[in-house]
Amino acid sequence: MQEKKLTGYPSIDKPWLKYYSEEALAMKAPECTVYRNIYNNNKNYPKDIAIRYFNKDISYGVLFEQIEICAKSLKQIGIKEGDCVNLCTAGVPEAIYIVLACSKIGAIANFINPLFTTEQMIDRINDTEAEWIFILDEMYSYIEKALPKTCIKNAVILPVYHSMPNPIKTLAKLKGKTKKLLKCNTPYRLMHWCDFQNIGADYTGETEVPYQKDTPVIMVYSSGTTGASKGILLTNEGINATILDSKSPRFPYTRGYSFLQMIPVWFSTGIVLSVLMPLCLGITVIPEPVFNVKSFVNDIKKHKPEMTLVATSIWVAAIHDKSFQNIDLSNMKYPMTGGEKVIDRTERELNAFLLSHKCETTLLKGYGMCELGGKVGDSMVFRNGEKIGSIGIPMLKVTVSAFDVETNKELKYKQHGEIRVDSPGRMKGYYKNQAATDEFFYTDEQGTVWGCTGDIGYVDEDGVIYILGRATDSATLDSGKKVYLFDIEDVILQEESLSGCKVVAVEENGHIVLAAHMTVRSEISFDENTLAHKIYENCKERLPIDEVPKKYKFRTSFA
């Protein structure tokens, strides 16, 4: 068979398809709700374990029973198709019940980020016009000041201990906040989770609504760092398309594997990739309400999961944790990461640690954003550390390429531009914000709808994606020349004694001056002047003279 001649354009050639089997390419996502997708894949396995929470096993049979109880109560209080149901919670079992109950009845589970400012919470909640919110007792203090200024009339308290086994539950209940919270005098009604469950006891109507295409089921939010945070509507189709990628032969797994869920559920990566995807595949979800290094290390040692997904910084901190040094990772099949740029040296260090501790594979990287369903691509096909510095290939049914932001023209292989993505996992749009939706999506002459990520990168001849940094991480010099600060940082980080670097542009006496802020590896002893001079000389050798930072400052951290 004659090999297809490359045109030089990734979206036309799709060179990444060589990594997929014909079987995978023929796969199609089911046309149903997320709830129905998970139910259909597990209805014949009611005794298999769906969730393991503090060593208490919750079967698929119990999971579906709890979803139905929740769905009945939601219907009884008047929640209709398209209504928003607010949540401010970590990934406890009750949050999973609520999300899938919303999917079943056609409502939208809206995750309020507990790290938002009070003003952001007020605006986001009032946008939904929803009267009900579910709050984890341990997170109530984050949202307490906002609630009286919102449309909320009923707040259901989820005790973090509710699904724990005894005697842990008894001890946690004594220390818990729920009992005290329910006695608070508030302008809205406070209710215990158990009381909410009882509301639907007499409901006799249907709970599951017929499937409708392009229906939103989950809402998460953009960070709000560049303006007001925006609600991101994820649809049944988008989530099912993301799940489909994990069913392809390049993602081999065995039913009954376990997945340590660490990413908070108020991000699409946390709820879609770390909860809904494994549940659909028959993989046991191990929710961890506390997102930090200590919890991660303890959970890996205790549960020995086959899969996990955490930020790279958590992995880096873990491999330097004393209690993690003798860890046996022979059970770990999928050590995954995403959300942060990984420099080559760090990636090699993590790979070496994993392999030396009997892990079957090197670090598996992923790339995505909430607007595109949480995942765009990953390095699952490079399990031996190939393609260092890349994030892998586009996931199933996804097309990725780099574009010139000025002309909107696609660029050829290895040409740097804005990474744009055509994905079936994309959001329906920003909630009540058509202008922002139109700005995020670009439709080309062929009618292809591209999500504009704002990331600068390129695609190579193998279809492998490289992300260099954010388009906004740039500066305009006195000459009018635009420079990407991450390019300068990459040169500086070639100095092996450094653990981090951030280059900023500051104005001094009417001129733009580049300044490098750096952190040094904790085990390194150094003289600031000597190291700064060494880095400066290296920059002069590798960068245009006008891109060489004039100032160098060492910091203990970037916190």
Side-chain angles (χ1 to χ4, degrees):
M1 181 176 171
Q2 188 175 6
E3 188 174 343
K4 181 181 176 182
K5 186 177 180 180
L6 297 180
T7 67
Y9 293 99
S11 74
I12 298 174
D13 301 333
K14 295 181 172 59
W16 53 82
L17 294 183
K18 65 186 177 184
Y19 296 104
Y20 288 95
S21 65
E22 291 296 326
E23 175 190 355
L25 295 175
M27 292 171 62
K28 293 183 179 180
E31 295 184 354
C32 62
T33 63
V34 174
Y35 161 76
R36 176 53 59 174
N37 192 9
I38 292 174
Y39 179 79
N40 286 346
N41 281 294
N42 295 284
K43 61 184 178 181
N44 295 326
Y45 306 94
K47 294 183 179 180
D48 283 5
I49 306 305
I51 303 168
R52 180 167 295 129
Y53 186 62
F54 286 84
N55 268 0
K56 179 180 178 179
D57 288 344
I58 300 170
S59 69
Y60 277 95
V62 171
L63 169 66
F64 296 134
E65 288 173 3
Q66 290 297 317
I67 292 168
E68 177 64 4
I69 291 170
C70 184
K72 285 183 175 181
S73 292
L74 289 173
K75 296 285 281 188
Q76 187 69 32
I77 63 176
I79 303 298
K80 304 181 297 297
E81 292 180 59
D83 286 351
C84 283
V85 175
N86 291 312
L87 297 92
C88 183
T89 176
V92 294
E94 291 70 29
I96 300 173
Y97 305 153
I98 297 165
V99 169
L100 291 175
C102 284
S103 173
K104 189 172 187 177
I105 71 171
I108 302 169
N110 178 42
F111 281 99
I112 300 297
N113 189 331
L115 302 182
F116 277 168
T117 64
T118 297
E119 290 72 23
Q120 286 176 315
M121 290 182 179
I122 293 170
D123 290 343
R124 299 294 76 80
I125 292 172
N126 284 336
D127 278 348
T128 68
E129 302 178 21
E131 297 183 357
W132 288 78
I133 188 169
F134 294 83
I135 308 170
L136 190 69
D137 56 358
E138 295 294 328
M139 290 185 175
Y140 186 80
S141 61
Y142 291 89
I143 201 169
E144 183 177 12
K145 291 182 180 179
L147 288 179
K149 300 178 182 179
T150 69
C151 51
I152 295 299
K153 295 182 179 179
N154 303 277
V156 180
I157 302 301
L158 310 177
V160 71
Y161 57 77
H162 185 74
S163 292
M164 292 179 181
N166 283 318
I168 299 174
K169 180 176 181 177
T170 302
L171 293 173
K173 190 173 182 178
L174 290 173
K175 297 179 180 180
K177 299 178 180 180
T178 298
K179 188 174 181 180
K180 183 178 179 181
L181 289 176
L182 292 172
K183 294 180 180 179
C184 292
N185 184 20
T186 64
Y188 44 87
R189 180 173 58 160
L190 288 165
M191 182 183 297
H192 193 283
W193 168 250
C194 291
D195 294 327
F196 169 77
Q197 287 182 301
N198 291 333
I199 288 177
D202 297 327
Y203 182 82
T204 57
E206 290 291 331
T207 53
E208 187 170 6
V209 300
Y211 165 73
Q212 294 185 43
K213 192 173 182 179
D214 205 27
T215 299
V217 63
I218 291 173
M219 182 154 63
V220 293
Y221 288 87
S222 62
S223 64
T225 54
T226 57
S229 57
K230 298 180 284 291
I232 299 167
L233 290 169
L234 304 178
T235 65
N236 287 297
E237 293 78 19
I239 294 172
N240 286 339
T242 301
I243 292 172
L244 179 71
D245 181 66
S246 298
K247 292 184 176 181
S248 70
R250 73 187 185 96
F251 189 80
Y253 69 94
T254 299
R255 186 178 185 88
Y257 274 5
S258 59
F259 190 117
L260 175 60
Q261 178 259 319
M262 289 288 297
I263 304 291
V265 290
W266 53 84
F267 297 119
S268 59
T269 310
I271 186 62
V272 176
L273 295 178
S274 302
V275 175
L276 301 179
M277 181 275 286
L279 282 178
C280 193
L281 302 185
I283 294 169
T284 301
V285 174
I286 304 173
E288 174 49 72
V290 181
F291 180 65
N292 61 30
V293 178
K294 183 179 179 181
S295 295
F296 178 68
V297 169
N298 289 341
D299 287 341
I300 293 292
K301 292 166 66 176
K302 179 179 180 180
H303 298 290
K304 297 179 173 57
E306 285 83 5
M307 305 174 177
T308 192
L309 170 59
V310 294
T312 308
S313 56
I314 296 289
W315 275 113
V316 171
I319 70 170
H320 291 103
D321 188 288
K322 290 182 179 179
S323 65
F324 209 60
Q325 297 311 302
N326 296 320
I327 189 76
D328 181 353
L329 295 174
S330 57
N331 209 47
M332 179 64 69
K333 309 293 191 297
Y334 291 89
M336 296 178 281
T337 193
E340 297 171 340
K341 185 177 180 179
V342 188
I343 63 175
D344 293 358
R345 183 175 67 251
T346 300
E347 186 175 347
R348 289 190 174 92
E349 182 182 17
L350 288 167
N351 288 345
F353 182 92
L354 291 168
L355 294 175
S356 66
H357 288 74
K358 302 180 182 179
C359 185
E360 290 188 2
T361 181
T362 54
L363 189 69
L364 300 173
K365 298 162 293 176
Y367 168 70
M369 59 192 307
C370 291
E371 286 87 342
L372 297 167
K375 189 174 80 165
V376 166
D378 60 51
S379 64
M380 296 295 178
V381 296
F382 305 123
R383 300 176 68 85
N384 295 310
E386 309 97 322
K387 298 288 185 176
I388 290 286
S390 80
I391 59 85
I393 63 171
M395 74 179 201
L396 196 62
K397 313 293 184 183
V398 170
T399 301
V400 177
S401 196
F403 283 74
D404 184 312
V405 294
E406 300 295 331
T407 65
N408 280 325
K409 297 298 183 183
E410 183 178 1
L411 300 173
K412 290 191 171 185
Y413 297 118
K414 294 187 177 179
Q415 290 185 321
H416 296 189
E418 182 187 37
I419 295 295
R420 295 184 181 177
V421 180
D422 172 26
S423 171
R426 64 176 177 258
M427 67 176 178
K428 181 180 178 69
Y430 291 117
Y431 186 64
K432 296 183 178 180
N433 196 335
Q434 190 59 47
T437 301
D438 293 341
E439 185 178 351
F440 178 78
F441 290 118
Y442 165 71
T443 304
D444 65 18
E445 295 87 347
Q446 288 73 42
T448 302
V449 179
W450 298 91
C452 303
T453 66
D455 289 323
I456 300 299
Y458 63 93
V459 180
D460 72 11
E461 292 89 346
D462 288 321
V464 178
I465 309 164
Y466 292 80
I467 304 298
L468 304 175
R470 294 291 292 168
T472 53
D473 191 12
S474 61
T476 302
L477 305 179
D478 290 346
S479 63
K481 176 182 176 182
K482 181 179 180 179
V483 297
Y484 287 116
L485 302 177
F486 51 77
D487 286 335
I488 303 171
E489 292 164 2
D490 286 346
V491 171
I492 291 174
L493 286 169
Q494 291 177 11
E495 170 53 51
E496 294 192 356
S497 61
L498 298 181
S499 58
C501 175
K502 183 64 182 174
V503 175
V504 296
V506 295
E507 185 175 344
E508 288 189 358
N509 301 320
H511 296 283
I512 297 299
V513 176
L514 299 178
H517 295 258
M518 300 159 291
T519 56
V520 179
R521 299 173 66 151
S522 58
E523 70 274 16
I524 301 292
S525 298
F526 69 102
D527 175 76
E528 287 194 8
N529 291 331
T530 301
L531 184 54
H533 181 72
K534 180 183 177 184
I535 293 168
Y536 171 72
E537 290 296 326
N538 186 52
C539 286
K540 283 204 304 181
E541 287 182 14
R542 300 175 182 274
L543 292 169
I545 192 63
D546 58 350
E547 296 182 23
V548 176
K550 300 296 188 294
K551 294 189 172 186
Y552 298 84
K553 179 178 177 60
F554 293 98
R555 309 167 63 100
T556 56
S557 73
F558 289 109

